[in-house]
Amino acid sequence: MGLRSIISNRHQLWRTLSWPVATQPLSHFSSRSKRVIDMAARDGELRVFLVAGEVSGDSIAARLMASLKNLSPFPVRFAGVGGKLMYKEGLQPLFPMEDIAVMGLWELLPHLNNIRIKLKEAIEATLLFRPHAVVTVDSKGFSFRLLKQLKRRYIELEISPMHFHYVAPSFWAWKGGESRLKQLRQFVDHILCVLPFEEEICRQNGLCATYVGHPLLEDAIFLNLELQASSDKHNFQRNGEAFRRTHGLSPGATIITLLPGSRLQEVTLMLPIFLRTVEQLEDLSVELSVVIPVAPNHHVESFIGKAIQSWPRSAVIIPGESLDKKYAAFSASRAALCTSGSAVMELMLAGLPSVVAYRAHFFTEFLIHIRRKINFISLPNILLNSAIIPEVLFNSCTSDNLARELREVLFNNEVRQLQASAKEKVLQILYHPIKKQRNSDLEKFGFSPNIRCPSMVAASTVLYAGKGKD
């Protein structure tokens, strides 16, 4: 049975399969029970407080919410901080996630007072909600402060919800990063890892952790594809010609996709550089067209809309939260310019050759230089330990340098083939460990060991993991 069919039939599966927890009287459960599912059974509902501080986190959290609703035998209530996708899944919002979506180190300083206010609001809202689980997604600066302060307050109130952090901090990227993992044991009960090597390292440092799979593997499901163990190839291609017709783009046009980021700070910095880069390609003997998938952040949407209005060239703007439209744009494009982040993985999965760029405040860039211990900034290059995707970073990130690299990606077939061949290697690194995992809780409800959906594995872990257990 396909994964999409399994998800759509989830409630039928619940009716046909016995569920011992739901059939037991509430008095059966010890007040000391630490599993989320047992705490929910006592109250007759599952309460989850979630925090996501950026667009990628909103997508991850929304999929987790949908999976929790599919797996839970009890009604589920959600509250917290998130974006549009989480709202659609039933989040009772506290404040917009844009209020805490601040990148960088130096860049954070002007926002510190507002962050403190929002942190206090989140703490009080969490305690009032009395969740069985608190799930923070990425955004470790805000997330870890929240979890740490909540732990202190629980002692006074004699409550003890489970704390999950989804997307392990990039401890492997920074000097002394692993040593900081031990500190997380004080306020994080379980880490949901999205890279296969993170689970073992977390456990070696005393943290309960589960590799649930990279969230972008789930894009295949929402694109009506299947990630099967028997499949050697994974095709994320959509109908590029239909995209051209829909948006009035010439069949012979060379399309460049621009992905300037999802936070307002990075977009205001990167988009002008990207637009100047495209202008420097006007001497090419080809017709150029530009497509910009816009992250679902109203500040970003407004900024990009105004910037394109004053730009002398035309550009097609599409909603970035629509996977179909976004991957169709990728399929229609010849190359992409991308700010470092999760979008780099999307481009690789789509088979679209790209150039990665990154700029920040000079103080932030200086700290990155002295603290990082890896050679690359984009995840495909990190996983393969090779400069497969050109990276144009920091002071070198100018329109001149980007235009030079982009020309190579556009017209050098050797460079293009190198990126294309790397896609399957990256997918195997991410997918091979998860397809081998055994998850008895999921298999009990009809999931083949050969099919793994990251959000469902994450949801199962949230429901069944116990404190002090792996």
Side-chain angles (χ1 to χ4, degrees), residues 77-89:
R77 287 203 290 136
F78 300 109
V81 181
K84 293 179 181 179
L85 297 177
M86 293 170 70
Y87 296 170
K88 290 179 182 178
E89 293 297 336

Side-chain angles (χ1 to χ4, degrees), residues 410-429:
L410 282 167
F411 303 114
N412 188 323
N413 287 331
E414 185 177 341
V415 171
R416 295 177 62 81
Q417 183 57 39
L418 183 65
Q419 292 198 33
S421 62
K423 179 181 77 168
E424 292 302 324
K425 296 176 184 176
V426 169
L427 280 170
Q428 284 302 313
I429 290 172

Side-chain angles (χ1 to χ4, degrees), residues 280-458:
Q280 291 185 228
L281 299 176
E282 290 183 344
D283 62 323
L284 298 176
S285 58
V286 294
E287 178 187 352
L288 289 179
S289 295
V290 169
V291 174
I292 306 177
V294 179
N297 175 321
H298 66 274
H299 297 305
V300 169
E301 292 168 353
S302 176
F303 178 84
I304 292 179
K306 291 177 181 178
I308 294 305
Q309 283 179 357
S310 60
W311 196 44
R313 300 181 62 91
S314 62
V316 174
I317 296 177
I318 61 171
E321 71 267 28
S322 170
L323 285 182
D324 267 319
K325 292 179 180 178
K326 183 163 58 176
Y327 276 91
F330 294 163
S331 296
S333 299
R334 176 76 178 175
L337 271 178
C338 180
T339 298
S340 179
S342 59
V344 183
M345 285 292 292
E346 293 177 324
L347 294 170
M348 172 154 279
L349 294 183
L352 179 59
S354 63
V355 177
V356 173
Y358 183 77
R359 286 302 309 263
H361 189 278
F362 77 91
F363 181 70
T364 300
E365 292 183 2
F366 171 74
L367 289 178
I368 292 174
H369 273 301
I370 63 175
R371 289 185 55 207
R372 69 172 181 165
K373 65 177 184 180
I374 55 177
N375 297 322
F376 309 107
I377 197 170
S378 57
L379 186 54
N381 288 352
I382 292 169
L383 292 174
L384 298 175
N385 194 30
S386 179
I388 302 296
I389 301 175
E391 296 182 349
V392 185
L393 312 175
F394 311 129
N395 289 334
S396 297
C397 185
T398 64
S399 57
D400 289 339
N401 291 335
L402 284 174
R404 184 177 62 252
E405 293 290 350
L406 190 55
R407 287 172 189 267
E408 286 290 300
V409 169
L410 282 167
F411 303 114
N412 188 323
N413 287 331
E414 185 177 341
V415 171
R416 295 177 62 81
Q417 183 57 39
L418 183 65
Q419 292 198 33
S421 62
K423 179 181 77 168
E424 292 302 324
K425 296 176 184 176
V426 169
L427 280 170
Q428 284 302 313
I429 290 172
L430 294 176
Y431 185 58
H432 187 67
I434 199 171
K435 78 182 182 186
K436 294 197 306 181
Q437 283 181 344
R438 293 195 61 81
N439 189 313
S440 58
D441 296 313
L442 286 179
E443 289 170 23
K444 178 168 57 179
F445 299 112
F447 279 82
S448 163
N450 292 332
I451 304 175
R452 284 293 178 260
C453 169
S455 68
M456 293 296 279
V457 177

Side-chain angles (χ1 to χ4, degrees), residues 128-311:
L128 184 63
F129 188 63
R130 298 185 71 86
H132 304 111
V134 178
V135 182
T136 53
V137 184
D138 215 351
S139 302
K140 65 180 185 297
F142 187 90
S143 295
F144 290 165
R145 286 176 176 82
L146 172 67
L147 297 179
K148 187 182 298 184
Q149 294 192 36
L150 282 174
K151 279 290 186 181
R152 295 172 186 158
R153 297 290 295 274
Y154 293 156
I155 298 173
E156 305 167 10
L157 299 174
E158 296 183 344
I159 60 174
S160 186
M162 285 277 288
H163 281 185
F164 296 86
H165 186 68
Y166 202 153
V167 184
S170 303
F171 53 83
W172 37 265
W174 307 102
K175 295 174 182 175
E178 285 189 35
S179 64
R180 296 188 181 93
L181 283 178
K182 293 182 174 64
Q183 302 171 15
L184 300 188
R185 290 181 298 180
Q186 302 170 19
F187 52 87
V188 176
D189 297 309
H190 208 105
I191 296 281
L192 304 175
C193 304
V194 301
L195 298 178
F197 57 83
E198 293 173 331
E199 178 183 320
E200 182 179 355
I201 298 174
C202 285
R203 293 187 178 197
Q204 288 173 353
N205 285 275
L207 271 170
C208 294
T210 300
Y211 173 56
V212 300
H214 196 282
L216 289 177
L217 293 176
E218 207 153 338
D219 283 359
I221 299 161
F222 288 87
L223 292 168
N224 291 311
L225 304 173
E226 294 290 351
L227 284 175
Q228 298 283 357
S230 59
S231 174
D232 294 324
K233 300 293 181 183
H234 305 88
N235 182 16
F236 286 74
Q237 291 290 313
R238 312 308 283 167
N239 192 330
E241 293 306 315
F243 180 86
R244 289 172 182 266
R245 290 193 299 270
T246 299
H247 296 282
L249 298 172
S250 167
T254 297
I255 300 175
I256 299 174
T257 289
L258 304 182
L259 293 156
S262 60
R263 307 179 189 92
L264 181 61
Q265 285 174 298
E266 61 188 2
V267 173
T268 55
L269 191 59
M270 301 305 300
L271 182 62
I273 299 174
F274 284 3
L275 296 181
R276 290 196 299 271
T277 300
V278 174
E279 291 170 1
Q280 291 185 228
L281 299 176
E282 290 183 344
D283 62 323
L284 298 176
S285 58
V286 294
E287 178 187 352
L288 289 179
S289 295
V290 169
V291 174
I292 306 177
V294 179
N297 175 321
H298 66 274
H299 297 305
V300 169
E301 292 168 353
S302 176
F303 178 84
I304 292 179
K306 291 177 181 178
I308 294 305
Q309 283 179 357
S310 60
W311 196 44

